[in-house]
Every structure is written in structure tokens, then in C-alpha cells.
Amino acid sequence: MVPARNEANTLPALLASLRAELRPGDQLIVVDDASTDGTADVASRGGASVVAAPPLPDGWTGKSWACATGAGVSTAPTLLFLDADVTVEPGGLDRVLGAHAGGLLSVQPFHVTVRPYERLSLFFNVIAMMGSDAFTPLGPRLRPSGAFGPCLVTSRDDYDAVGGHAAVKSAVLDDVGLAQCYLASGRRVSCRGGRGSLSFRMYPEGFRQLLEGWTKNFAGGAGKTRVVTLVLVVAWTSLCIQAPWLGWPVYAAVVVQLAWMARRIGRFGVLALLLFPIPLFAFLALFARSVFLTVVRRRVMWKGREIKPAA
């Protein structure tokens, strides 16, 4: 199912990619979250069953409400939540569902960038993967600390047992909150990279969308990261900041390391890697903005709505 608020431009690619993957009996549900841009019509023409989310209740964020609405309509034993900007690669749906082995499976799509400003997301993507604790040398011996919202897979039984999205109704980062509910109940949480199965363009509508999106997400995510992991990420980021002044061997080493990591999580281009201080500065500036708005001011904007992070 797909929660969608003003996603008329992004839904066609997702729905077209999904239709080729569906099997008899599969349900394709788009929850129209009070859109004003024709999202419902686009979804209907794309072959989806369209459900209009009721008015947003107090204490709920829009995405959690839309996901809960869709889950309440679905009769499937396995629930797959996809963001509207995701595209499923050929055979990708079977690979994602085949990787689900109980609990909550989260897949971070491969990030495709097109316009230059989109490459400013380089450090956000790398650090998000680092902070999840899902891609360390310890492998499955270290439990992930969160999940990736663009793709979540769970059985209906597990979803209902942890309280579903109602349990994280006020969370700005519903994916992280949901993962913590699964872990607290003793259920497993698995994270995977989506290269070859799922891809997305995160913020194709312009720099303002990128600004609002990372502002909404990143400070809250840092607050849910394990202390040891956070210290290690800060240490690595500090090295990247100092690299231009530590000589070309250190600078080159950072470029090589970034290239090795980036090729697994997205397409950011050679220039973004060679000139990594530019996306690094963007990360630091937007992270500071995120801290101010989510922690100090306690209100951010997304999709035309003001969101107040839970205390």
C-alpha cells in the first residue's frame, strides 16, 4: 500500500513498475491523504484501489494516519508499505518479499539523482545507513536501531501485535518508531539495501523539498541512534571535515571510501565525490537547521502541513 499526499507526479512510475510485478490476489492500495493535486485520479488510472484517508485526528502525523487507514482496508496476510517516489525494478517485488523472514523488513531504495542539487544528499544517505547499525562488520549480531520508511514489510499478525501505526501515531519518524515497537516486543527487525530491487528520487521537486525533507528527518533520527554509533559517526564526520587540511593522501582516502560506500546506496556522480566538502557543508548546515526546528522550536513543515515532534 502507498500513502500519498500530493504525489500525482511521482505515482505513475511506481504504479507502472508495480503492475508488472503483481500476482493474482495481490492488493494495490493507494491512500489519498487529503491531496490537492489529482493524486486520487492518477492512482485510479494507474490501476490502484484508492482509499481516501478520513480527516487527520489530533495527535497523528499524516503518514502514520494514511498507513493505518490502508492497513485497515487491506485483507492481505503480508503488508508492504511503499513511499510514492519508489520504483520497483524487474523482479524486485519478489526479491523484497522473499527476503522477509518474520518481524519487520525495511529496505532503503537505491537513490537515483538527476539534478545537481539532489547530489547534496550524499552525506545524508551515507550517514543514515551508518546510523542504522544494520551494515556493520558484526552483521546480524547487532540489532538495527531503526528502519527505512520508503519500504516496510511485515505480516499482518506481527503488525497488529505491536499496535501498528497507531503505536507511533505522533512520531515524525514513524519508521524508526515502528522498528522500536517490533524490537521491544522481541520481534526481529531486518534492514537491506535496495540496489537492483528498489530505487527512488527522494526530492525531485527542487531544493526547497530537499530542505524540508532532511530538516524533518535528520535530527530526530540522530536522537534515536545508539550512543556508541553516534560517537563513531561524529568522529568519522570530523575526519571528513578536516581532510582538506590534512593533505592530499587523507583527502584522497576519504574520496575513495565515499565512492565505495556511495556506489552501494545511490548514484551521486563523480563530482560530488571529488568535491565532497560541498555536500558535507550542506549536510552540516541542514543538520543544524534540523536540530533548531525539531528540538528547539519543535515544529517543521512537510507537504504543506506543520508537524510538531512528540516530546
Side-chain angles (χ1 to χ4, degrees), residues 109-301:
F110 188 79
H111 189 177
V112 177
T113 63
V114 177
R115 298 168 63 186
Y117 77 86
E118 295 176 63
R119 292 163 190 155
L120 296 176
S121 290
L122 171 62
F123 276 85
F124 287 98
N125 281 262
V126 169
I127 290 174
M129 300 292 264
M130 287 179 172
S132 71
D133 285 327
F135 304 96
T136 75
L138 295 176
R141 288 174 290 177
L142 183 62
R143 298 194 310 175
S145 58
F148 305 120
C151 174
L152 297 172
V153 185
T154 178
S155 71
R156 161 70 70 176
D157 289 344
D158 283 343
Y159 181 79
D160 289 342
V162 303
H165 279 84
V168 294
K169 63 182 182 181
S170 62
V172 175
L173 300 178
D174 61 290
D175 46 3
V176 175
L178 202 58
Q180 292 178 343
C181 289
Y182 276 73
L183 292 172
S185 71
R187 290 169 171 80
R188 67 182 296 176
V189 173
S190 305
C191 297
R192 299 285 188 272
R195 186 175 65 168
S197 296
L198 303 177
S199 62
F200 65 178
R201 280 184 71 191
M202 290 190 72
Y203 305 119
E205 297 177 9
F207 180 76
R208 182 179 180 84
Q209 186 189 31
L210 180 146
L211 180 69
E212 289 187 352
W214 286 126
T215 295
K216 172 177 70 75
N217 290 333
F218 225 76
K224 302 295 185 182
T225 304
R226 290 189 178 99
V227 173
V228 173
T229 303
L230 186 61
V231 169
L232 292 174
V233 169
V234 169
W236 178 79
T237 305
S238 298
L239 174 63
C240 293
I241 293 171
Q242 298 174 60
W245 290 274
L246 295 177
W248 70 263
V250 176
Y251 191 99
V254 171
V255 170
V256 170
Q257 184 189 28
L258 279 173
W260 181 81
M261 292 187 291
R263 68 182 295 270
R264 289 160 172 76
I265 61 177
R267 189 178 69 208
F268 297 97
V270 174
L271 280 180
L273 299 170
L274 294 176
L275 303 177
F276 74 81
I278 296 175
L280 176 57
F281 174 79
F283 166 77
L284 295 172
L286 290 183
F287 183 76
R289 183 177 191 268
S290 182
V291 170
F292 174 73
L293 291 179
T294 61
V295 178
V296 180
R297 193 178 174 196
R298 303 200 62 78
R299 59 184 61 190
V300 294
M301 293 297 297

Side-chain angles (χ1 to χ4, degrees), residues 70-90:
V73 171
S74 174
T75 59
T78 299
L79 302 176
L80 168 64
F81 299 92
L82 287 175
D83 280 359
D85 56 5
V86 173
T87 299
V88 181
E89 306 297 332

